[in-house]
Amino acid sequence: MHAQKKPLDHTIYDGWQSIGERHLSADGKWVAYAVNPQEGDGTLYVQSIADKRIVRTIPRGYSALISADSRYLVCRIKPFYADTRAARIKKKKSEEMPKDSLAVLALGTDSLVKKAGIASYKIPQQSGQWLAYHKAQVPTRASVNTATQKTVDSLQKKVDSLMQLVVQIKQVKGGSADGMDAEDPADGAAGANTGTDLVLRNLATGKEHTFANIGDYVFDKKGNRLLMKALKAAKDSAIANAIVLYDLAKDKLDTILKGGNDFRGLALSEDGAKAAFVAERDSSTKALQKFYGVYLYQQGMDSARRIVFNNTPGLPQQWRVSEHSNITFSKSGNRLFFGTAPIAAPKDTSLAEIDQVKLDIWHYNDDYLQSQQLFTLQQDLKRNYTALFDIAAQKMLQLADKNFPVVLQTGDGDGRYFFVATDTGRRVQAQWSGRTLKDLYAIEPTTGKKILLATKLDGQTYASTTGKYMLWYDAAKRQYFCWDGTATRQVSKGIPHPLFDEEHDTPIEPGPYGVMGWHKADSFAYVYDRYDVWRLDPSGNLPAKNLFGTASGRKQAITYRFERTDTTNRFISFDEPLVFSAFDNKTKKKGLRLFQGGQLTGSDFLQPFSLGSPIKAKDAAVWAYTKESFTHAPNLFVSENLANEQRLSATNPQQAQYNWGTAELVRWKTFDGKQTEGILYKPEDFDSTKQYPMIAYFYEKLSDGLYSYNAPAPTPSRLNISFYVSRGYLVFAPDISYTKGQPAKDAYNYIVSGVQHLARNKWVDKKNLAVQGQSWGGYQVLALLVQTNMFKAAWAGAPVANMTSAYGGIRWESGVNRQFQYEKGQSRIGYTLWERPDLYLQNSPLFQLPKIKTPLVIMSNDADGAVPWYQGIELFTAMRRLNKPVWLLNYNGEAHNLVERKNRKDIQMRQQQYFDWMLKGAQPTKWITDGVPAVEKGKEWGLL
């Protein structure tokens, strides 16, 4: 006989582990991965793939990178969780909080170098030689409560060291190319004395070079140069703000611009031969308006030169260079991109603040509701529009503006055509449609000329890699079209299967399955249907072709999707094998397959597991991915050529001590005769001669997650499935499909039919059934309670009870109106409130509450940004008026889904107490029997 396993309880959450970040060295010989507890200190593992016994652990390591030459791993090290928690309890200032450290590991050796107190680090993308790390700010003496003599001595040593290090920047030649050195801000002004040490380390030799008072820094991709923003020292007037460029090969530092108030947006071309940034150099520190210029440095120049300013030809009238510019070079380095914006009126300082009226004016002609404008206010204040500077032609061109706010670049910035779209004049309709119709244009980046491609387009766009073609999906016509520079043609004609979502069930045109990508040299585009990939010829000369031929996934209901493991490669090539994920829609099994030689390889590829997205070694046929099932915790596996695999990690060994559970697929027919499916979760020690209470948990469709692992964790308000099955419950998760205007009836049709199907089994306790749902699931809980009394208990998180009042509400997490959700989206009514008020009333449980006989717990939080929390109040007060058993939980300041872990833990305990009381006959706790009066809040929790 085996000892009886323990049921899960609320004390086990914190230590339950998951796999975090994953990295493979370019040569495929090393893998790094993090194993993290839900709360506490994680571990970064660095392991040899050839011999998994060779492993190095870095406690609390995270944010790792492996050098391009596969010789070094660099990562950050978090402070101890307990130390950070203690500092938060003491309400320490940010500069006094425990700081990260840096670790540098030479792979295959015992050499591990650590550096304390860092703010960030960077390594060049294509070089394995260099590392730069930025030191964190040291607390000022004023911020230290009690300074011992030891602390003072230590700080003095650091100050002495810094004074010696700044000499190197003071002595470097160079200056301004557009006049004399600009005036620097006074001591203590904005931008002064905010820099810290930047340390450049040669990974091969270990030699370090320190640059003092650095505010920002960037490597070029190839690791040739390091560009830095050096800031004025508060107590040394001889040091000016400057932009400095360090040549890594020559060990040479140049000041390319000296003096100024602010420098931002540092950028280098791929080879480091060009540098650019924006700078403000002429205003006083108290000026209400400040104007920035774009500066360019090219190898061989003495100093950076201002190339764009207020009066530059090509800059629109009353526009300026934005300090929030995203500065980038094209791949060739011939084009420089930056941002511009209209000149904003200066702040009115003539009116005292106490006399200023605080008012929001909602205007019917506004593109966006005032609530949305206020939500995006800070983003809008920084909004800027892409402009281009042609370095060879010395010419500026404005590409984007308020009507065409986004520019889609091609060819890594060197494309022949870019693309823009506008919904000007049609933005208001997003209030009820959720999206807008757009006019699509090609734009010549050399002239700015726009070419109209499509009008009033409802669909998605996919520019080719080089910019030679523009492909788009037209939702109204449900086909793909392609523009080739002169003409537009339909290119998906002849495909015999839908390219749009076949299971779509909301009152809006279905979207496409999407585009896999463009072939090398833009010779083909690849698009998805539900199962397969289709090759489209953008020139229209060749018919569409199924990429998999006779191995089509549709024949076996297997969905294939390309796994892009090299995000730096913009195109698809068959020169190397491609990896596809495969999902069996019938069994829910998953696998990975290689596509090479024009065909899919392997036959026995499906496994009863869920697989995470794979990563690949850049220069080797080695993949790493996670595998999990409901009974197997996620672990990391590696495989060469996907022909074999080995497991590297071993998370959650403690699971074996607990009564876990099983997951199985169940199928039944709904009341209207439709075949459907869902998941039934049972306890590991399930005994068919016993009876078990059952909780139905639902949202929309959940059965594809048959092999997903459900870690025992305090959830945002969903059902903690593994916890409940461990404690002797059955959990049923049915799939639901919908029809226009009938979400309540559809929920009943699918959920209740499934519950009745399972209730035919003697091991289902028909007298102890319950329902639980969050958000849309919470609404469906209410919809069921007014249509059936078969459930003994119910729990609804953030539900809508009254569609008539919710229809015109605001989603405060975005500021948008909720009308689109009912007319076109998830609520699926399909009409306005005034067109079909009957549907809003029929689908609003509030108007049928006298029918409810099931006790109900509601969670509605006062900071819910998705569902107005007054929906919970309407529901609670109405049921209270009807003298029906109801409880309302409002987690103060919490969101739609609980964010704070303490609140997640709390709701898990209350939910268990409620269901145990209602379904198992346990003693009710105080919050259930008596509640918690406001005068006892913070003193009495009602959990006993």
Side-chain angles (χ1 to χ4, degrees), residues 182-194 213 231-241 259-262 280-281 283-287 290:
E183 181 182 354
D184 290 312
D187 291 351
N193 197 32
T194 56
N213 248 37
L231 299 177
K232 174 182 174 66
K235 296 183 179 181
D236 189 345
S237 59
I239 302 177
N241 289 338
N261 299 314
D262 192 18
E280 189 277 299
R281 311 184 69 216
S283 304
S284 69
T285 56
K286 296 182 180 180
K290 296 184 178 182

Side-chain angles (χ1 to χ4, degrees), residues 100-119:
D100 279 5
S101 298
L102 183 78
V104 181
L105 175 65
L107 297 174
T109 75
D110 294 328
S111 173
L112 180 66
V113 177
K114 294 183 180 180
K115 302 289 181 178
I118 68 125

Side-chain angles (χ1 to χ4, degrees), residues 89-302:
I89 291 172
K90 294 178 181 178
K91 297 182 179 180
K92 290 197 171 186
K93 299 177 181 178
S94 59
E95 64 267 24
E96 297 176 320
M97 293 293 288
K99 301 294 190 296
D100 279 5
S101 298
L102 183 78
V104 181
L105 175 65
L107 297 174
T109 75
D110 294 328
S111 173
L112 180 66
V113 177
K114 294 183 180 180
K115 302 289 181 178
I118 68 125
S120 67
Y121 82 88
K122 296 177 183 178
I123 60 177
Q125 185 176 332
Q126 297 177 6
S127 170
Q129 186 176 358
W130 300 101
L131 159 71
Y133 59 93
H134 206 189
K135 300 286 284 185
Q137 288 280 354
V138 177
T140 61
R141 293 189 183 187
S143 69
V144 179
N145 295 327
T146 57
T148 64
Q149 186 60 46
K150 182 178 180 180
T151 302
V152 173
D153 292 343
S154 175
L155 289 174
Q156 185 60 53
K157 289 179 180 178
K158 291 182 178 180
V159 171
D160 293 341
S161 176
L162 289 174
M163 294 301 293
Q164 294 175 10
L165 291 168
V166 298
V167 174
Q168 58 185 308
I169 292 181
K170 290 172 64 175
Q171 295 177 343
V172 174
K173 295 189 300 179
S176 169
D178 57 333
M180 298 179 63
D181 291 349
E183 181 182 354
D184 290 312
D187 291 351
N193 197 32
T194 56
T196 60
D197 283 0
L198 180 73
V199 182
L200 177 67
R201 181 182 179 88
N202 187 311
L203 290 171
T205 66
K207 180 181 177 181
E208 293 191 340
H209 197 86
T210 303
F211 304 93
N213 248 37
I214 299 300
D216 194 11
Y217 64 107
V218 62
F219 282 110
D220 67 81
K221 185 180 290 187
K222 299 182 183 299
N224 294 324
R225 290 174 178 81
L226 175 64
L227 185 66
M228 296 170 282
K229 174 171 70 173
L231 299 177
K232 174 182 174 66
K235 296 183 179 181
D236 189 345
S237 59
I239 302 177
N241 289 338
I243 297 294
V244 295
L245 183 64
Y246 183 73
D247 189 309
L248 298 167
K250 297 179 181 179
D251 189 19
K252 181 184 178 183
L253 184 70
D254 283 323
T255 297
I256 62 173
L257 191 69
K258 183 179 179 182
N261 299 314
D262 192 18
F263 303 110
R264 302 190 185 191
L266 307 187
L268 286 165
S269 59
E270 281 202 6
D271 60 1
K274 298 183 180 74
F277 51 91
V278 296
E280 189 277 299
R281 311 184 69 216
D282 305 313
S283 304
S284 69
T285 56
K286 296 182 180 180
L288 296 178
Q289 286 183 310
K290 296 184 178 182
F291 294 96
Y292 287 73
V294 179
Y295 287 77
L296 174 67
Y297 172 84
Q298 300 187 71
Q299 189 172 348
M301 294 172 60
D302 181 63

Side-chain angles (χ1 to χ4, degrees), residues 429-499:
Q429 74 182 51
Q431 176 179 318
W432 55 88
S433 67
R435 58 198 196 198
T436 59
L437 302 178
K438 297 177 176 62
D439 297 336
L440 178 64
Y441 291 80
I443 181 171
E444 295 179 351
T446 54
T447 65
K449 178 184 176 182
K450 294 185 179 69
I451 304 169
L452 180 64
L453 308 186
T455 58
K456 297 183 179 180
L457 174 65
D458 178 11
Q460 286 75 44
T461 58
Y462 311 90
S464 69
T465 311
T466 67
K468 183 179 179 180
Y469 300 105
M470 167 54 83
L471 179 75
W472 66 87
Y473 177 82
D474 189 317
K477 298 176 181 178
R478 299 186 176 184
Q479 292 289 336
Y480 283 95
F481 294 82
C482 188
W483 177 76
D484 64 1
T486 56
T488 297
R489 60 179 57 86
Q490 181 180 328
V491 290
S492 54
K493 185 178 181 180
I495 296 178
H497 308 294
L499 298 171

Side-chain angles (χ1 to χ4, degrees), residues 509-751:
E509 286 294 340
Y513 285 104
V515 170
M516 171 177 146
W518 283 87
H519 199 85
K520 189 175 182 179
D522 292 347
S523 54
F524 297 106
Y526 299 97
V527 302
Y528 295 118
D529 70 7
R530 183 177 180 182
Y531 302 102
D532 295 312
V533 177
W534 291 86
R535 188 193 72 183
L536 305 182
D537 178 9
S539 67
N541 294 324
L542 298 174
K545 177 183 178 182
N546 189 316
L547 186 63
F548 305 132
T550 57
S552 167
R554 184 171 292 272
K555 295 179 180 179
Q556 299 173 302
I558 295 175
T559 297
Y560 289 103
R561 292 297 181 260
F562 174 57
E563 297 287 349
R564 187 177 293 276
T565 55
D566 184 358
T567 57
T568 64
N569 195 346
R570 303 296 179 88
F571 54 80
I572 293 168
S573 170
F574 297 152
D575 295 339
E576 292 186 2
L578 305 181
V579 62
F580 284 84
S581 63
F583 177 76
D584 190 319
N585 290 268
K586 295 179 180 178
T587 67
K588 315 303 180 183
K589 293 179 180 180
K590 197 168 184 180
L592 296 172
R593 298 188 76 176
L594 290 181
F595 181 83
Q596 55 186 348
Q599 61 184 4
L600 291 166
T601 63
S603 55
D604 186 19
F605 55 91
L606 293 172
Q607 304 179 56
F609 289 93
S610 178
L611 276 64
S613 294
I615 59 174
K616 180 186 177 295
K618 183 175 179 58
D619 302 321
V622 176
W623 284 266
Y625 47 87
T626 56
K627 281 175 56 176
E628 64 183 75
S629 70
F630 183 74
T631 54
H632 294 81
N635 275 298
L636 186 68
F637 290 74
V638 293
S639 176
E640 295 186 33
N641 294 308
L642 299 184
N644 53 67
E645 65 181 19
Q646 59 171 321
R647 192 182 79 175
L648 299 182
S649 62
T651 62
N652 301 311
Q654 76 279 14
Q655 179 179 313
Q657 304 171 23
Y658 294 94
N659 184 43
W660 197 249
T662 60
E664 62 186 71
L665 203 60
V666 292
R667 294 187 171 91
W668 71 98
K669 285 189 176 181
T670 62
F671 293 133
D672 60 359
K674 293 184 174 66
Q675 187 71 37
T676 189
E677 59 191 7
I679 305 172
L680 176 63
Y681 299 93
K682 298 177 180 177
E684 181 181 350
D685 61 354
F686 174 79
D687 184 344
S688 62
T689 65
K690 297 180 179 180
Q691 283 196 321
Y692 297 87
M694 185 170 75
I695 303 173
Y697 167 74
F698 37 79
Y699 191 75
E700 290 186 345
K701 290 183 172 64
L702 301 174
S703 65
D704 285 355
L706 176 66
Y707 292 109
S708 295
Y709 186 72
N710 283 261
T715 75
S717 182
R718 299 186 296 272
L719 194 72
N720 189 346
I721 294 174
S722 56
F723 179 86
Y724 281 95
V725 295
S726 176
R727 301 185 71 85
Y729 286 87
L730 301 173
V731 175
F732 174 49
D735 283 357
I736 308 164
S737 295
Y738 302 89
T739 55
K740 182 178 177 179
Q742 303 295 336
K745 290 182 179 179
D746 293 332
Y748 179 88
N749 185 29
Y750 282 82
I751 299 168

Side-chain angles (χ1 to χ4, degrees), residues 291-364:
F291 294 96
Y292 287 73
V294 179
Y295 287 77
L296 174 67
Y297 172 84
Q298 300 187 71
Q299 189 172 348
M301 294 172 60
D302 181 63
S303 301
R305 182 173 64 87
R306 191 171 70 187
I307 57 173
V308 179
F309 197 54
N310 295 355
N311 56 354
T312 299
L315 184 68
Q317 289 292 319
Q318 296 300 306
W319 279 47
R320 63 183 179 86
V321 173
S322 172
E323 65 271 36
H324 305 294
S325 292
N326 179 28
I327 309 293
T328 60
F329 285 94
S330 65
K331 186 176 182 65
S332 68
N334 294 328
R335 292 173 177 171
L336 176 65
F337 300 93
F338 58 97
T340 64
I343 296 174
K347 182 179 180 181
D348 184 2
T349 58
S350 63
L351 192 64
E353 186 174 355
I354 61 172
D355 296 326
Q356 293 180 12
V357 177
K358 307 296 183 182
L359 171 69
D360 302 327
I361 298 176
W362 296 52
H363 195 281
Y364 69 98

Side-chain angles (χ1 to χ4, degrees), residues 899-934:
V899 174
E900 293 195 47
R901 188 169 175 81
K902 62 184 179 183
N903 294 333
R904 292 183 175 192
K905 288 182 175 181
D906 183 87
I907 201 171
Q908 294 305 305
M909 289 187 285
R910 296 184 194 277
Q911 191 180 85
Q912 184 213 344
Q913 291 171 349
Y914 175 71
F915 282 135
D916 280 359
W917 168 53
M918 291 297 298
L919 304 183
K920 289 188 171 184
Q923 286 296 313
T925 50
K926 184 177 179 180
W927 75 270
I928 295 174
T929 57
D930 303 326
V932 178

